[in-house]
C-alpha cells in the first residue's frame, strides 16, 4: 500500500510539474527554508551537498549524490540535460522508480549510480524536490573522459603540383587531445622534425610534400591514437645531372647520369648531338627518384659531343645536357689574390683532364699603368711546357707557378690557359695584388714611444751628458731613420 501511495504522490508531483509551472529554486547551499502554509510553518526540502563535477573514464563507475539531512515526503527526481542542448531535459527516475530503463542505473540512499559509464552519459544531472510552489534543485556535472581516436585511420589526399592540400587529423577525445605531425622517412617540408596542430595546410604542393604523414593524438587517457595521411602529388619531370661536363678520352669507360623525379613515372630518352642513342641504358631508384645511366664502355672520337637526357609525362617535359669532351676543364684558381710578397705572386690552380697537361700560358699586366692614368699596363707572358711526371696522375690535377719581378703594392690582371695533348682549355681570368712594404717593427714602436723621445732632450750643457746620454744618442739615430722612412713613404705614394 505504501509503494502505491508513493507512486501516486509522484504522479501528482509530475502533474504539477507539467501543469502548474512552479517557481524553480536552484539549491547551492545546505540548509532548509520555511514556508507558510495555512497560517503554519512547513519545512521546504533541501540538499546537504554542493554542485560537483565528475570526470570518470569510460568504463568506470560514478556515484552522484542527492542527499539531504532529512527524509521528505516529496519524491526525489533525477533529471538529465545534455551539454549540447540537442535534446530536451530527460526525467530518469523518481525515488527508486526509473523512467529510463538501463541496467547500469541504480539509486540507494539518495545516491544515483551509473556503472560502466559511456561517452553518451555526459551532461548535467539535477537532483530535484518538487513542491506545489517550487522546485528545489542541485545540479551536478558529469564529464566523461575517453581516450583519443583518429578517424579515418588512413586517408589518401591527391593533388597536382601547385594545388592546395589540407591534412586534417580529425581527432576526438576528452580532454581534447594534442596533435603532433611527423613525416615517415624524413623531416616535414618546413625542415622541422615535427609540427603541432589539428591540421596542416600546404598552400602550393610540390614533390617535396609527397609522402605519408602521421598524426599522433594523445590526451593522457589510455593509449595515444595514430592516423596516417598519404599525400600523392602529381607533377611534371624534374631532372638533375651529376656532371654537366664529363672529361674523358679515347678508350676510357664513362657513365652519363641524370636523376629524374616525376609522378607519374616519366619516359626518359637519350640523344647524342640531337640523334637518338642506340645504346643500352639502365635506370635505378636513387634518393626517391630514378637514376638513369648511359654507359659508354670504350670512348672513341665519335662519342664526344653533347648528350641530352629528356623526360616527359602527362604533366610536362624537360631535358638537361651533358657534354662529353677530351679537353681539360677550365682551370680553377685556388690561390689567395693577395700576395704575401712585395715583388712576386704564386698562382695555384686545379683542372680535370683525362690526358696529362702538356703546357700552360699565363699573361698578366698592371691594372693601371701608373698613378696618372686609368689605362692598363702592357701584357707580359709566361709560357711553359709541363712534364708528365711533374703532375698528378689525374683526372684531377694541381699546379703552381710563381710570377716574379712585380712592383710592390700593385694590382694586376691575369689570364690563364692550359692544354693537354689534344686540346686547350677555356681561358680563365683572375686578379691579384702584391704586398705593400711595411716599416720595421722597432721603428713603429719608437714612433709611438713619446717618453723615449722626450728623454733625448735631457743632455746637460757644456758637453756634459746625462747619465742616459748613450741611450739618447741611440734614440736620436733611430728617430732620424724614422723620419727618413716616412719621407720615403710619402715620396712613393
Amino acid at each position: 500500500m505504501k509503494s502505491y501511495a508513493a507512486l501516486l504522490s509522484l504522479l501528482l508531483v509530475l502533474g504539477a510539474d507539467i501543469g502548474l509551472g512552479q517557481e524553480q529554486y536552484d539549491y547551492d547551499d545546505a540548509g532548509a527554508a520555511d514556508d507558510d502554509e495555512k497560517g503554519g510553518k512547513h519545512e521546504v526540502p533541501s540538499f546537504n551537498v554542493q554542485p560537483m563535477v565528475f570526470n570518470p573514464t569510460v568504463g568506470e563507475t560514478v556515484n552522484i549524490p542527492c542527499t539531504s539531512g532529512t527524509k521528505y515526503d516529496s519524491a526525489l527526481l533525477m533529471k538529465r540535460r545534455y551539454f549540447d542542448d540537442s535534446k530536451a531535459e530527460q526525467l530518469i527516475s523518481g525515488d527508486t522508480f526509473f523512467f529510463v530503463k538501463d541496467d547500469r542505473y541504480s539509486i540507494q540512499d539518495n545516491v544515483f549510480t551509473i556503472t560502466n559509464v559511456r561517452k553518451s552519459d555526459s551532461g548535467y544531472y539535477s537532483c530535484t524536490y518538487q513542491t506545489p510552489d517550487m522546485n528545489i534543485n542541485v545540479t551536478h556535472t558529469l564529464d566523461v573522459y575517453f581516450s583519443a581516436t583518429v578517424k579515418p585511420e588512413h586517408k589518401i589526399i591527391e593533388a597536382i603540383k601547385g594545388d592546395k592540400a589540407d591534412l586534417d587529423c580529425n581527432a576526438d577525445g576528452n580532454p581534447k587531445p594534442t596533435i603532433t605531425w611527423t613525416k615517415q622517412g624524413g623531416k616535414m617540408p618546413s625542415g622541422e622534425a615535427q609540427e603541432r596542430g589539428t591540421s596542416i595546410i600546404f598552400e602550393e604542393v610540390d614533390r617535396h610534400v609527397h609522402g605519408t604523414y602521421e598524426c599522433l593524438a594523445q590526451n593522457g587517457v589510455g593509449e595515444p591514437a595514430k592516423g596516417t595521411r598519404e599525400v600523392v602529388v602529381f607533377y611534371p619531370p624534374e631532372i638533375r645531372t651529376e656532371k654537366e661536363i664529363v672529361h674523358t678520352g679515347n678508350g676510357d669507360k664513362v657513365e652519363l647520369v641524370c636523376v629524374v623525379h616525376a609522378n607519374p613515372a616519366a619516359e626518359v630518352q637519350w640523344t647524342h648531338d640531337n640523334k637518338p642513342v642506340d645504346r643500352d641504358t639502365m635506370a635505378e631508384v636513387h634518393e626517391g627518384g630514378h637514376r638513369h645511366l648511359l654507359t659508354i664502355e670504350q670512348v672513341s672520337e665519335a662519342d664526344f659531343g653533347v648528350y641530352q637526357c629528356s623526360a616527359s609525362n602527362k604533366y610536362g617535359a624537360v631535358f638537361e645536357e651533358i657534354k662529353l669532351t677530351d679537353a681539360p676543364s677550365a682551370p680553377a684558381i685556388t690561390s689567395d689574390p693577395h700576395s704575401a710578397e712585395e715583388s712576386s705572386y704564386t698562382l695555384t690552380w686545379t683542372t680535370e683532364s683525362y690526358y696529362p697537361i702538356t703546357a700552360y700560358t699565363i699573361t698578366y699586366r698592371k691594372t693601371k699603368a701608373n698613378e696618372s692614368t686609368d689605362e692598363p699596363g702592357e701584357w707580359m707572358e709566361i709560357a711553359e711546357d709541363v712534364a708528365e711526371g711533374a703532375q698528378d696522375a689525374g683526372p684531377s690535377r694541381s699546379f703552381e707557378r710563381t710570377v716574379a719581378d712585380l712592383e710592390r703594392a700593385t694590382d694586376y690582371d691575369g689570364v690563364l690557359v692550359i692544354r693537354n695533348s689534344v686540346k686547350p682549355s677555356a681561358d680563365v681570368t683572375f686578379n691579384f695584388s702584391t704586398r705593400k712594404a711595411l716599416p720595421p717593427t722597432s721603428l713603429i714602436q719608437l714612433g709611438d714611444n713619446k717618453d723615449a723621445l722626450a728623454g733625448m732632450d735631457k743632455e746637460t750643457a757644456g758637453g756634459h751628458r746625462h747619465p742616459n746620454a748613450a741611450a739618447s744618442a741611440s734614440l736620436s739615430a733611430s728617430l732620424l731613420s724614422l723620419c727618413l722612412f716616412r719621407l720615403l713613404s710619402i715620396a712613393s705614394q
Side-chain angles (χ1 to χ4, degrees), residues 268-280:
V268 177
Q269 294 181 337
W270 289 89
T271 61
H272 175 214
D273 292 338
N274 297 320
K275 297 178 182 179
V277 173
D278 58 358
R279 300 176 182 273
D280 292 334

Side-chain angles (χ1 to χ4, degrees), residues 152-206:
E153 291 187 1
H154 182 73
K155 183 179 180 180
I156 298 176
I157 299 99
E158 294 183 347
I160 299 174
K161 181 179 179 180
D163 287 351
K164 181 179 179 180
D166 296 346
L167 278 63
D168 192 349
C169 193
N170 195 25
D172 189 20
N174 191 25
K176 183 179 179 180
T178 59
I179 311 299
T180 304
W181 292 88
T182 55
K183 186 178 183 183
Q184 292 182 1
K187 294 183 178 181
M188 300 291 289
S190 63
E192 299 294 330
Q194 63 181 27
E195 295 180 15
R196 290 183 178 273
T198 57
S199 63
I200 296 178
I201 299 176
F202 299 113
E203 295 293 342
E204 294 185 0
V205 299
D206 57 19

Side-chain angles (χ1 to χ4, degrees), residues 317-472:
V318 68
F319 69 88
E320 288 291 339
E321 293 183 343
I322 303 174
K323 184 178 181 181
L324 190 68
T325 180
D326 53 359
S329 67
I333 307 300
T334 58
S335 50
D336 191 318
H338 305 291
S339 176
E341 306 298 330
E342 296 180 22
S343 59
S344 64
Y345 175 68
T346 300
L347 177 68
T348 62
W349 70 90
T350 62
T351 186
E352 188 172 330
S353 176
Y354 178 76
Y355 301 111
I357 301 301
T358 57
Y360 62 82
T361 301
I362 302 171
T363 54
Y364 62 97
R365 67 182 179 185
K366 292 197 292 183
T367 304
K368 297 173 67 172
N370 54 60
E371 294 298 324
S372 61
T373 181
D374 289 333
E375 294 297 321
E378 296 293 328
W379 284 107
M380 306 290 288
E381 182 178 289
I382 300 174
E384 289 190 358
D385 294 332
V386 180
E388 183 174 348
Q391 59 189 284
D392 302 329
S396 182
R397 305 170 190 273
S398 302
F399 301 89
E400 71 173 49
R401 176 62 161 86
T402 298
V403 182
D405 300 325
L406 303 175
E407 295 184 18
R408 64 179 174 85
T410 303
D411 296 327
Y412 288 86
D413 304 324
V415 179
L416 172 63
V417 180
I418 63 174
R419 66 173 295 120
N420 59 21
S421 58
V422 180
K423 293 176 182 176
S425 71
D427 296 354
V428 172
T429 60
F430 61 98
N431 305 99
F432 66 96
S433 61
T434 53
R435 181 175 65 83
K436 297 180 180 180
L438 297 175
T441 304
S442 59
L443 294 183
I444 295 176
Q445 292 174 341
L446 176 62
D448 294 334
N449 193 339
K450 297 180 181 179
D451 293 338
L453 294 175
M456 298 179 186
D457 297 330
K458 294 184 179 179
E459 294 187 11
T460 57
H464 297 287
R465 293 180 178 271
H466 189 272
N468 292 330
S472 298

Side-chain angles (χ1 to χ4, degrees), residues 13-306:
V13 169
L14 291 176
D17 186 26
I18 295 171
L20 300 179
Q22 299 95 331
E23 178 184 356
Q24 298 293 321
Y25 179 79
D26 289 328
Y27 187 85
D28 58 5
D29 193 14
D34 294 330
D35 192 15
D36 291 326
E37 183 177 320
K38 297 182 179 179
K41 293 292 183 179
H42 175 73
E43 186 178 12
V44 177
S46 63
F47 296 100
N48 63 1
V49 292
Q50 297 288 335
M52 301 172 68
V53 177
F54 299 92
N55 296 117
T57 300
V58 167
E60 293 182 345
T61 296
V62 62
N63 297 305
I64 301 174
C66 299
T67 57
S68 58
T70 305
K71 184 174 180 61
Y72 302 105
D73 294 334
S74 301
L76 174 64
L77 308 180
M78 173 59 73
K79 300 178 182 180
R80 175 174 61 196
R81 181 168 51 88
Y82 291 100
F83 288 149
D84 58 6
D85 288 327
S86 61
K87 297 181 180 179
E89 187 175 60
Q90 183 182 33
L91 179 62
I92 297 176
S93 67
D95 280 341
T96 58
F97 183 83
F98 285 91
F99 297 95
V100 177
K101 300 301 181 182
D102 194 320
D103 293 339
R104 300 176 302 125
Y105 296 167
S106 65
I107 189 165
Q108 185 175 357
D109 296 331
N110 288 0
V111 175
F112 178 62
T113 299
I114 306 176
T115 60
N116 192 25
V117 294
R118 304 167 183 166
K119 292 191 294 183
S120 58
D121 292 324
S122 293
Y124 301 107
Y125 288 76
S126 295
C127 308
T128 302
Y129 279 120
Q130 207 161 22
T131 71
D133 298 319
M134 68 176 62
N135 290 341
I136 297 92
N137 304 307
V138 60
T139 300
H140 302 295
T141 302
L142 177 59
D143 190 13
V144 179
Y145 282 177
F146 54 93
S147 59
T149 58
V150 175
K151 294 181 180 180
E153 291 187 1
H154 182 73
K155 183 179 180 180
I156 298 176
I157 299 99
E158 294 183 347
I160 299 174
K161 181 179 179 180
D163 287 351
K164 181 179 179 180
D166 296 346
L167 278 63
D168 192 349
C169 193
N170 195 25
D172 189 20
N174 191 25
K176 183 179 179 180
T178 59
I179 311 299
T180 304
W181 292 88
T182 55
K183 186 178 183 183
Q184 292 182 1
K187 294 183 178 181
M188 300 291 289
S190 63
E192 299 294 330
Q194 63 181 27
E195 295 180 15
R196 290 183 178 273
T198 57
S199 63
I200 296 178
I201 299 176
F202 299 113
E203 295 293 342
E204 294 185 0
V205 299
D206 57 19
R207 71 176 179 87
H208 301 288
V209 173
H210 188 96
T212 300
Y213 297 79
E214 184 177 279
C215 68
L216 180 69
Q218 50 189 341
N219 62 356
V221 180
E223 295 296 322
K226 294 181 180 179
T228 56
R229 302 294 181 259
E230 183 180 351
V231 181
V232 179
V233 180
F234 299 104
Y235 57 96
E238 299 176 10
I239 294 182
R240 174 181 58 83
T241 58
E242 292 190 353
K243 284 187 176 181
E244 294 182 3
I245 301 177
V246 176
H247 300 275
T248 185
N250 289 328
D252 191 21
K253 177 182 177 180
V254 295
E255 287 184 343
L256 308 183
V257 180
C258 69
V259 178
V260 179
H261 294 268
N263 189 32
E267 180 182 350
V268 177
Q269 294 181 337
W270 289 89
T271 61
H272 175 214
D273 292 338
N274 297 320
K275 297 178 182 179
V277 173
D278 58 358
R279 300 176 182 273
D280 292 334
T281 61
M282 183 178 68
E284 59 185 18
V285 176
H286 178 72
E287 294 181 353
H290 285 86
R291 189 171 182 263
H292 294 264
L293 296 87
L294 173 61
T295 303
I296 304 175
E297 294 293 341
Q298 280 193 322
V299 174
S300 66
E301 194 69 28
D303 295 319
F304 298 117
V306 177

